[in-house]
Amino acid sequence: MKVNKKAVQRLFHYKNLLLRLQEDGVTRIYSDTLAERLGVTSSQVRKDFSLFNIKGNKKAGYVIGELVDRMDEIFRNDVPRRVVIVGYGRIGSALANYNGFHKQNIEVCAAFDIDPAKIAPHGAVPVYHLNDLKTVVGDTGAQIGILAVPERVAQESYRLMADAGIAGVLNFAPIILSPIAGCMVTSYCVEGELNSLMFAVDQQGEQG
Amino acid sequence: MKVNKKAVQRLFHYKNLLLRLQEDGVTRIYSDTLAERLGVTSSQVRKDFSLFNIKGNKKAGYVIGELVDRMDEIFRNDVPRRVVIVGYGRIGSALANYNGFHKQNIEVCAAFDIDPAKIAPHGAVPVYHLNDLKTVVGDTGAQIGILAVPERVAQESYRLMADAGIAGVLNFAPIILSPIAGCMVTSYCVEGELNSLMFAVDQQGEQG
DNA sequence: TAGATTGTTAATCGATTAACAATC
DNA sequence: TAGATTGTTAATCGATTAACAATC
């Protein structure tokens, strides 16, 4: 089986739980315990680990320290990973200043907008004009970009990001972007998720 | 095949594309065309439609007006759907004022926080103290809640929401919530998504 | 009618779960 | 050793894609 996105996401959550357990002084864990804590099956935990070549000890479970080290290695958590944000509106600025990133060694190194009133190259997170995207991406070596612009300019902004050398985009505009070679996209649509949740709730109501 | 979350999400995106086409004066469409525009297969489009009992015309494709009407019916888009937001920090306030919601007939009817400085019951979106959650949920009839609080209080806040009668929660705290009966959860973890995207980019780099 | 498109059934693909041999 | 847990293979489950009969 190939490593897929969902397995990567689970690995990320395993890691975060393990870090919390480590803080509590726990040093070893069984796949069973880990599974229970995260609401998955123990088969899945072992399968995921095997996918990433993470080894435990028969009978003795897993050493949390070793697990965390291996995961840091897999995710390259030793080097800070740089991210730029395109679109400094409500969502963009909220993410630029989100304090959950540094724990994961993710660094928002710059944001971009076309509104002159928002440009602030000397802020905690510098905000530049979109025209400077290519230069800044070149200088910082950022590989990943967050796209948080209005729907109607999303495709064009994505093109500019791909052009600037960004290799992966996390898109928050509520539109499916047509892919550009060399720059992969993952999209998140809040209204779509809410809609989907509402549908699920409605359906459940009909049954129960 | 049962209706699943991914199919619901696709239906939502079909609808949005169809609305845009309608504005351009297009009145009919084939599954082929629709599929191409959204980067899916035409089999999938027809399968999705069949899942929701959406009918077209052999040889003549689908009438966009009929499709949109049927989808509005499925999603109950005729009545405004009310949402509350728990946690009025950066993410919470960004979402409270996000202007992509009203297009989908989603109404953020109230937000909640425990910081007295944030309470503002007469704002465009009223912000109340968390203590008032149950009352306000009762009064407004909101069924869905967005959870945007710090990780360490996420599980407890979720419990309060379930308690207040919220039937579905969209969680943005980077933690897996243990489920409470009667209140389903969908989670989104930005740092997890970024991490996953970085992993994918790294992997691609190794191969190419 | 001939050609083209829908709607559905069957085939394929991929991910999760179960089972169990290896082993500490 | 006996018991328990990992690691992996096989079985199951679910979703996507392909194929094609129905039909306009």
Side-chain angles (χ1 to χ4, degrees), chain A residues 204, chain B residues 158 162-163 166-167 178-184:
Chain A
Q204 206 181 43
Chain B
Y158 166 44
D163 233 49
I166 294 289
S178 25
I180 298 172
C183 186
M184 62 176 69

Side-chain angles (χ1 to χ4, degrees), chain B residues 18 20-29 37 63-65:
Chain B
L18 290 169
R20 265 178 282 139
L21 289 171
Q22 227 174 11
E23 278 175 24
D24 294 347
V26 185
T27 57
R28 313 185 80 94
I29 196 164
R37 290 289 296 262
V63 176
I64 293 184

Side-chain angles (χ1 to χ4, degrees), chain A residues 31 46 56 58-59 62:
Chain A
S31 58
R46 294 199 300 278
K58 307 231 165 177
K59 176 101 175 75
Y62 301 86

Side-chain angles (χ1 to χ4, degrees), chain A residues 35-85:
Chain A
E36 203 201 358
R37 290 289 297 262
L38 285 163
V40 298
T41 64
S42 66
S43 276
Q44 179 128 73
V45 171
R46 294 199 300 278
K47 182 73 170 180
D48 285 340
F49 284 1
S50 129
L51 228 56
F52 290 96
N53 245 300
I54 296 176
K55 302 285 175 190
N57 314 283
K58 307 231 165 177
K59 176 101 175 75
Y62 301 86
V63 176
I64 292 183
E66 289 175 12
L67 285 181
V68 171
D69 286 351
R70 182 78 186 91
M71 289 173 184
D72 278 341
E73 203 179 302
I74 290 165
F75 291 140
R76 306 204 178 169
N77 268 129
D78 47 325
V79 293
R81 290 162 306 162
R82 290 183 174 153
V83 166
V84 297
I85 297 181

